[in-house]
Amino acid sequence: MVSITIDGKPVQVEKGSTILAAAQQLDIKIPTLCYHPLLEPYAACRICNVEVTAGIESKLMTACNTQVQEGMEVQTASEAALTARRINLQLLMARAPAAEVVWQMAAEIGIEETPFIMEKPDQKCILCGLCVRACESIVGTAAIGFAHRGIDREVTTPYQIQSDVCITCGACAYFCPTGAITMEDIKGRTVIHQEMTLGPPKAIYIPFMQAVPNVPVINTEACIHFKTGNCGICQQVCEPDAIDYEQEDEYEEIEVGTIVLATGFQTFDPARVAQYGYGRLPNVITSLEFERLSNASGPTGGDIQLEDGTKPGRIGIIHCVGSRDKNTNAYCSKVCCMYSLKIAHLAMEKTGAEVYNFYIDMRTPGKGYEEFYDRLLEEGNHFIRGRVAEVTDWAMIPEEEGKLVIRAEDTLVGMVRRIPVDMVILAVGLEPVHDAEEVRRLFNISCGAEGWFLERHPKLAPVSTFTDGVFLAGVCQGPKDIPDSVAQSGAAAAEALALADRGYVELEPNTAFVLEDDCSGCKTCIALCPFSAISFDGDKEVAVMNEALCKGCGVCVAACPSGSIQQHLFTDEQIYAEIEGVLSYV
């Protein structure tokens, strides 16, 4: 340890520490612009000048890169240090007149103007070199550097042309202390609704605030380390050492007795309804994107904005996009009406905008739902009954110029209406997940015509499937809201626990069996069995029935060309006996 004194206060710090680090330990603030704890100190701005006394000699030194020595006495606010700091700030004010942070720092020590000439009023760069060092030492690409000398010195790309090695990671913009480097959308958008970000995607993030487990994940496509092999800052600053770049996805086989399928749903892709302009027209967003936009932890902090950063004055909400439409999905998604009403309420509350709802008919069957609908009517929301024909930016009158125009039939008044709005929200429906068919095959269960998993019986066994031990929970069985999903999940969990607690499985009494002596080994039954209960014995060249899997459907019995498969309770002798019994009364 090294003992030094800063502003008369003694302190002990580790050998090799800088004066700046020692001052931070005493909560003494030393201003600096070009220092960042993740980069090697460079002392380019020289704002951190302090007066150091070692022995009988005193001199000015930069605190960010000067290591402490035993017995050193440091004065952070001596007259010599403050004079040097004032002169350096005045030089930076002349060099970068548009750098607000420099002027704020100068104002803190009583400087309001600079005696030096300000040749470039819009200049923000103070040539601290943080961006250059970050690009070289962290990103490892060296896409930018210093060019020219003297007053013409600047930060630029090699030969001042677009650099091919730049990976647009945004590290230079992140480290720049004056805002001289910014990341901007090439189309000039402030908010990108489809991407829901205000800049480059973050390489490490928590998927969403309610994620389980609630831990960060690394996007390997955006991470600098996976692109260049450099960086690794997150690993350096992570105190629990929880980040390991060598980890890979692992697949484990776990033997279980029961399985609850809760594969969820995916939202309808509104790009399939081209007339609504999603992906083609600006400010046409989905309900899920609006949820992200209005969330306090979202990219705008919950502020509802158009792509140019302004607030919408008129908002149109189109219900039943991808639902109740024979061209897409004929079924009702069940949740769209209520979440559209919630969006209408939020939009009006946060923006004061005029909100128009375009609906086919309003379905509010839940507890308190109808009252909420009445509340929105009283709040002044507009409800137009009729399916929207199209959303266009083609203006027919001056009031429609620069607006999105919703053209829809109003069935209550019997006319076609054109409503100009600033933002269109598409209330998209629910669909089975894209790999539902693969999951169905994997667990040998059934699907309905729409792709939702099919329960064994809608009233007597609503969470069971035709495969023993496999139960359904949530929207994978069909559209439902959160209360219904929670209730069904509880029922599925209870069924699974009951089966595990019982300790045995009841088999069907009418299973099929094979008469080996009569089996020709044609394998016709194997392909027909919907429960995969029949296998083939290669040694005996006969079919083998697994009665634990057989459900007694009788398909194999009817299809067997040699009559070698019989079914309990329905053997030939039993059927003949039943026929004889019936005929005995004739």
Side-chain angles (χ1 to χ4, degrees):
M1 301 295 285
V2 177
S3 298
I4 64 171
T5 302
I6 302 179
D7 292 346
K9 298 179 181 178
V11 62
Q12 285 191 332
V13 295
E14 292 184 359
K15 188 177 181 181
S17 301
T18 62
I19 296 175
L20 184 65
Q24 289 173 344
Q25 192 170 324
L26 289 172
D27 291 332
I28 296 175
K29 183 181 178 182
I30 299 177
T32 179
L33 277 172
C34 68
Y35 172 78
H36 197 283
L38 297 177
L39 293 170
E40 285 293 323
Y42 184 62
C45 68
R46 309 194 76 78
I47 302 299
C48 61
N49 269 318
V50 293
E51 185 174 0
V52 177
T53 303
I56 59 173
E57 184 181 5
S58 295
K59 58 182 178 181
L60 293 176
M61 304 185 75
T62 49
C64 67
N65 65 342
T66 302
Q67 295 184 357
V68 296
Q69 295 181 7
E70 184 65 31
M72 179 181 285
E73 295 182 6
V74 179
Q75 295 293 326
T76 64
S78 67
E79 187 58 33
L82 290 176
T83 300
R85 201 170 294 162
R86 291 190 190 99
I87 295 174
N88 289 326
L89 277 171
Q90 288 171 337
L91 287 170
L92 292 177
M93 292 162 69
R95 160 71 197 180
E100 294 182 4
V101 64
V102 176
W103 288 82
Q104 291 173 359
M105 195 173 288
E108 291 177 0
I109 58 175
I111 302 175
E112 296 181 352
E113 57 184 15
T114 175
F116 305 104
I117 300 174
M118 295 184 287
E119 295 185 349
K120 299 177 180 178
D122 298 330
Q123 181 64 265
K124 286 187 176 181
C125 180
I126 59 173
L127 298 176
C128 66
L130 268 178
C131 53
V132 177
R133 286 182 286 146
C135 188
E136 182 177 356
S137 61
I138 293 180
V139 183
T141 57
I144 56 176
F146 287 107
H148 311 302
R149 294 181 178 178
I151 60 173
D152 295 328
R153 189 172 174 81
E154 63 177 349
V155 175
T156 181
T157 56
Y159 304 105
Q160 295 184 323
I161 60 175
Q162 185 172 355
S163 175
D164 294 334
V165 298
C166 177
I167 58 175
T168 61
C169 64
C172 51
Y174 175 79
F175 283 96
C176 180
T178 61
I181 302 177
T182 57
M183 298 290 289
E184 297 177 356
D185 182 61
I186 57 175
K187 296 181 180 179
R189 296 172 293 184
T190 303
V191 180
I192 306 174
H193 291 124
Q194 277 74 36
E195 298 179 6
M196 284 294 100
T197 57
L198 297 178
K202 289 185 178 180
I204 184 167
Y205 60 96
I206 294 176
F208 54 94
M209 298 309 294
Q210 294 80 22
V212 178
N214 196 348
V215 296
V217 297
I218 294 178
N219 180 359
T220 56
E221 295 183 358
C223 178
I224 296 173
H225 178 79
F226 285 93
K227 285 185 175 181
T228 66
N230 278 42
C231 191
I233 288 177
C234 54
Q235 192 178 46
Q236 297 174 23
V237 300
C238 181
E239 295 182 357
D241 294 330
I243 295 178
D244 181 4
Y245 298 117
E246 305 300 325
Q247 280 189 344
E248 295 181 354
D249 294 338
E250 296 180 358
Y251 295 89
E252 296 184 7
E253 291 189 4
I254 302 174
E255 189 172 338
V256 298
T258 58
I259 297 173
V260 178
L261 292 181
T263 53
F265 65 95
Q266 65 184 26
T267 55
F268 174 78
D269 180 9
R272 292 163 56 187
V273 189
Q275 61 267 32
Y276 291 165
Y278 179 76
R280 177 171 53 86
L281 298 174
N283 299 313
V284 178
I285 65 175
T286 67
S287 48
L288 202 59
E289 291 164 356
F290 178 86
E291 285 286 344
R292 177 75 173 134
L293 193 65
S294 64
N295 193 304
S297 62
T300 61
D303 192 21
I304 299 170
Q305 298 178 2
L306 302 174
E307 285 193 350
D308 59 3
T310 60
K311 284 190 176 182
R314 294 180 122 194
I315 297 175
I317 302 174
I318 302 177
H319 295 220
C320 298
V321 178
S323 298
R324 306 179 65 191
D325 185 351
K326 64 180 181 180
N327 297 316
T328 54
N329 297 312
Y331 55 83
C332 173
S333 290
K334 198 174 180 179
V335 298
C336 309
C337 285
M338 289 313 302
Y339 81 59
S340 296
L341 295 181
K342 186 196 76 172
I343 287 174
H345 176 72
L346 281 175
M348 176 174 279
E349 184 180 67
K350 290 193 171 186
T351 66
E354 206 169 353
V355 180
Y356 293 83
N357 286 271
F358 298 86
Y359 69 102
I360 300 174
D361 56 51
M362 197 60 67
R363 298 184 174 181
T364 56
K367 183 180 180 182
Y369 290 1
E370 189 66 20
E371 291 86 338
F372 186 65
Y373 174 40
D374 292 338
R375 177 182 171 183
L376 262 70
L377 290 171
E378 294 172 359
E379 287 178 349
N381 273 269
H382 302 285
F383 288 87
I384 299 174
R385 185 176 181 274
R387 185 175 288 279
V388 172
E390 68 171 345
V391 178
T392 179
D393 56 355
W394 180 51
M396 295 182 65
I397 56 177
E399 288 76 12
E400 295 178 351
E401 291 181 356
K403 303 279 187 180
L404 295 168
V405 180
I406 300 176
R407 192 165 68 89
E409 180 186 14
D410 190 337
T411 58
L412 295 181
V413 297
M415 62 178 293
V416 175
R417 302 181 64 176
R418 290 174 62 90
I419 308 293
V421 297
D422 300 309
M423 173 182 283
V424 174
I425 302 170
L426 305 177
V428 292
L430 312 184
E431 286 187 332
V433 290
H434 66 281
D435 59 349
E437 179 61 20
E438 298 175 20
V439 176
R440 184 197 72 77
R441 290 178 182 276
L442 181 65
F443 292 94
N444 194 29
I445 59 178
S446 302
C447 279
E450 302 89 1
W452 305 109
F453 296 152
L454 202 60
E455 68 281 356
R456 176 176 288 184
H457 192 281
K459 294 180 180 176
L460 302 179
V463 298
S464 302
T465 66
F466 288 101
T467 301
D468 289 336
V470 178
F471 304 99
L472 303 176
V475 187
C476 66
Q477 187 213 6
K480 55 179 64 69
D481 58 11
I482 293 175
D484 287 351
S485 297
V486 172
Q488 193 187 29
S489 301
E495 289 278 1
L497 285 174
L499 186 60
D501 183 62
R502 192 162 58 231
Y504 61 88
V505 177
E506 293 182 356
L507 301 180
E508 297 290 340
N510 56 337
T511 56
F513 58 96
V514 179
L515 302 175
E516 294 186 357
D517 294 339
D518 298 336
C519 181
S520 63
C522 66
K523 302 181 183 179
T524 303
C525 54
I526 297 176
L528 294 175
C529 180
F531 304 103
S532 302
I534 308 175
S535 58
F536 187 74
D537 188 335
D539 296 334
K540 297 181 180 179
E541 296 187 348
V542 295
V544 177
M545 182 69 64
N546 185 342
E547 295 193 29
L549 297 177
C550 179
K551 299 301 176 187
C553 66
V555 173
C556 56
V557 179
C560 181
S562 61
S564 60
I565 300 181
Q566 297 289 310
Q567 188 171 2
H568 293 297
L569 306 182
F570 295 99
T571 62
D572 291 345
E573 291 78 8
Q574 289 172 322
I575 293 176
Y576 287 142
E578 289 178 3
I579 294 173
E580 289 176 357
V582 172
L583 294 177
S584 64
Y585 295 98
V586 178

